[in-house]
Amino acid sequence: MHKKNHSRITRNSRREKNKHNITKKIVLTSIAGLSLILICGGVYATYAIQHNPKQESQAEDISQYEHKEHALLEKIRTSQKHDELESTEQEKTDKNIQTLIYEPLTTEAIPQLPKINSELTTLIEAAHKESSKETPIKLVGHIKRIKVNEQLVGYQPILDTYTWNQEKNEWSEKTELGKQPAFVNQKTKQPLTLQDIFISEANALAVQQVIEQKLLSESPDGNAIIDGILNMPSISLAETAFTYYSDKISLTLAENSSGKTEITLPYKEIAGYVDPQFIDTASIKDVVPEPLDPNKKYISLTFDDGPNPDTTPRLLDILKEKGVTATFFMLGQNVVKHEALVKRVAEEGHEVASHSYSHPQLTSVDAQRVTEEVQNTDKAIYHAIGKLPTDFRPPYGAVNKEVATIIGKPIIQWSVDSQDWQSHNAEAIIKRIDETAYNDTIILMHDIHPETVDAVSTVIDHLRNDGYEILPSKELLGKKAKPLHMYYGSKDERPVQ
């Protein structure tokens, strides 16, 4: 009995041991399998992570951005390093916006620098407000040096904005300029002034004439506004605001009947009245008249006091036949009576100029009377031909500084007096001119006298036989005559005292 029990216990023990061994094998096998799964899964996960197209693209994008950002900054800094205007860099980063400001080292060369910096700051602040905070942006503020010529240099604030384009993986660029460059006279080291450009009050008055004509020409009805235009204050060298360009200039106007507050004049329209040191000379290259040939003889025929319906038409016929152009200094009171005749004078290529309205001695009347004599003639001639007269001959040649300032036009005197007003004799007129004519001079005659007209054909023939080329006075003077100056010939210019 005892033996049986022992045998049964032994079998049970073996059975339990076998079960334990089987369980152990199962566990070990499971652990091994799980480990293999984990290892394989890790390998696969690592492979998947390393070879995920989306993540690969993102990583590549980051790499391209960093590379192109570095290249852009290198380009910006290299450009500034080689710029004519030496500067120092100030850098600031606000989230995705990096701002680089380049400040000039030689600040004393730019007297307007505080104003330029203020404008640059405004550009940068506006760009900050308009920019997306999610997109990388580079703001580069700097000052560009603009060399017009040796005498004039400009400085302009510039803002370059570089924005990262995620889709194209590249930087886009936009440039904003300050309103206007600030120009500096290199001789004085001071801001450019109208005095620099126009040189003198005389030239400023000449420019005023151009302004008046331009305002009238651009008006749908010049006659309706002419009084206001002729009475508008003249530009001031010290006070008139202006915007400079290398080929033109914009001037602020006083209140006037045209309603315009600013006018822009290409230098080619005022070529004789600007200092070429301060402009692009190419802008006036084709309009500056060639100087008279020093090897030739020149003379000008001028006629006062007309037009006269009995004598002026016959004179015009003679001049046309001879191929001569002349200058007619007309009285306003005759212009209003004979507008068609004035128009013919202009259409046939002669210069229509002013000789006052009623022929008083201007130095013996008050300023108001002088103004009326000048303006009434201006209006009469404008009404007849659509243009204001640009030259003036004072009755009796009488003029002083005050009168000349009111007139506001070049004063065209004479150097050869035919004395036709005294002799009233054709032969005497011819003889007088033959004996007194000389090179580069202006001859005084009157187209209201029949005897003068009788003499003209012979006068022209004699002058040509003596080698003279006959020109209107404006051409003789090179189209550069200016107010406050008197002209007796192309080589005899005198300031009015």
Side-chain angles (χ1 to χ4, degrees), residues 198-212:
F198 292 152
I199 307 171
S200 66
E201 181 187 357
N203 283 350
L205 285 171
V207 172
Q208 183 70 23
Q209 287 185 276
V210 177
I211 292 171
E212 291 171 355

Side-chain angles (χ1 to χ4, degrees), residues 14-288:
R14 286 177 183 162
R15 194 180 295 119
E16 288 297 326
K17 186 176 180 181
N18 288 337
K19 282 175 69 177
H20 175 74
N21 289 336
I22 291 171
T23 301
K24 185 177 179 180
K25 286 181 180 179
I26 291 172
V27 170
L28 289 174
T29 301
S30 298
I31 290 172
L34 181 60
S35 297
L36 181 61
I37 290 170
L38 289 173
I39 291 170
C40 291
V43 170
Y44 176 79
T46 302
Y47 175 85
I49 290 171
Q50 290 179 346
H51 294 81
N52 184 298
K54 184 175 181 181
Q55 290 181 342
E56 280 185 344
S57 176
Q58 289 175 345
E60 185 179 344
D61 286 350
I62 292 171
S63 176
Q64 284 192 27
Y65 170 79
E66 291 175 346
H67 173 72
K68 292 189 175 182
E69 179 189 39
H70 176 77
L72 174 63
L73 291 173
E74 185 69 22
K75 172 188 169 184
I76 291 168
R77 287 170 173 144
T78 300
S79 174
Q80 289 301 316
K81 191 179 295 183
H82 290 91
D83 195 83
E84 284 187 73
L85 193 62
E86 289 188 80
S87 58
T88 58
E89 180 187 292
Q90 302 294 327
E91 189 271 343
K92 187 174 87 169
T93 300
D94 181 10
K95 296 182 179 177
N96 281 326
I97 300 178
Q98 182 181 16
T99 303
L100 303 175
I101 299 176
Y102 292 90
E103 297 182 350
L105 288 174
T106 55
T107 58
E108 66 276 4
I110 315 174
Q112 307 99 316
L113 187 58
K115 182 179 178 182
I116 295 172
N117 282 337
S118 176
E119 188 174 4
L120 185 57
T121 299
T122 300
L123 289 174
I124 292 172
E125 289 176 349
H128 262 278
K129 291 179 181 178
E130 294 170 4
S131 299
S132 167
K133 301 299 185 289
E134 306 302 321
T135 304
I137 290 173
K138 311 290 183 190
L139 300 178
V140 182
H142 55 107
I143 297 172
K144 181 181 179 182
R145 186 177 188 269
I146 306 166
K147 184 177 179 180
V148 179
N149 51 39
E150 294 300 324
Q151 192 66 30
L152 189 64
V153 172
Y155 299 91
Q156 185 169 30
I158 295 178
L159 177 64
D160 296 319
T161 301
Y162 299 90
T163 304
W164 179 249
N165 187 316
Q166 185 67 42
E167 293 181 1
K168 296 182 178 180
N169 277 339
E170 62 183 27
W171 294 95
S172 63
E173 180 180 356
K174 181 179 75 171
T175 298
E176 292 180 81
L177 305 180
K179 292 179 182 178
Q180 282 299 325
F183 290 93
V184 180
N185 181 334
Q186 293 303 287
K187 185 176 182 180
T188 64
K189 304 301 180 185
Q190 295 300 312
L192 181 69
T193 67
L194 276 188
Q195 181 81 49
D196 294 330
I197 299 170
F198 292 152
I199 307 171
S200 66
E201 181 187 357
N203 283 350
L205 285 171
V207 172
Q208 183 70 23
Q209 287 185 276
V210 177
I211 292 171
E212 291 171 355
Q213 181 63 58
K214 197 174 184 73
L215 291 175
L216 291 171
S217 297
E218 292 176 353
S219 170
D221 186 359
N223 286 301
I225 65 170
I226 190 167
D227 283 299
I229 296 302
L230 294 178
N231 284 293
M232 67 184 290
S234 297
I235 59 173
S236 164
L237 293 178
E239 298 177 5
T240 297
F242 69 97
T243 301
Y244 171 89
Y245 303 91
S246 62
D247 61 344
K248 60 183 178 288
I249 190 166
S250 291
L251 300 166
T252 300
L253 299 176
E255 186 175 348
N256 63 84
S257 54
S258 76
K260 293 189 176 182
T261 58
E262 185 178 67
I263 191 165
T264 299
L265 301 174
Y267 293 131
K268 64 182 180 181
E269 295 180 6
I270 52 175
Y273 314 115
V274 295
D275 188 336
Q277 294 183 92
F278 294 102
I279 67 172
D280 178 1
T281 52
S283 66
I284 61 173
K285 181 180 178 182
D286 298 328
V287 297
V288 176

Side-chain angles (χ1 to χ4, degrees), residues 396-450:
Y396 315 106
V399 67
N400 57 30
K401 183 70 175 290
E402 181 184 5
V403 168
T405 301
I406 296 171
I407 292 170
K409 308 179 195 298
I411 304 299
I412 312 302
Q413 301 282 21
W414 61 90
S415 42
V416 177
D417 187 351
S418 69
Q419 296 185 349
D420 58 348
W421 53 274
Q422 186 176 28
S423 68
H424 294 284
N425 181 282
E427 292 301 322
I429 294 168
I430 295 168
K431 184 173 184 296
R432 171 72 180 175
I433 293 174
D434 285 346
E435 292 176 349
T436 59
Y438 59 101
N439 189 26
D440 296 318
T441 54
I442 299 170
I443 299 174
L444 168 65
M445 291 185 281
H446 299 77
D447 59 319
I448 60 173
H449 303 313

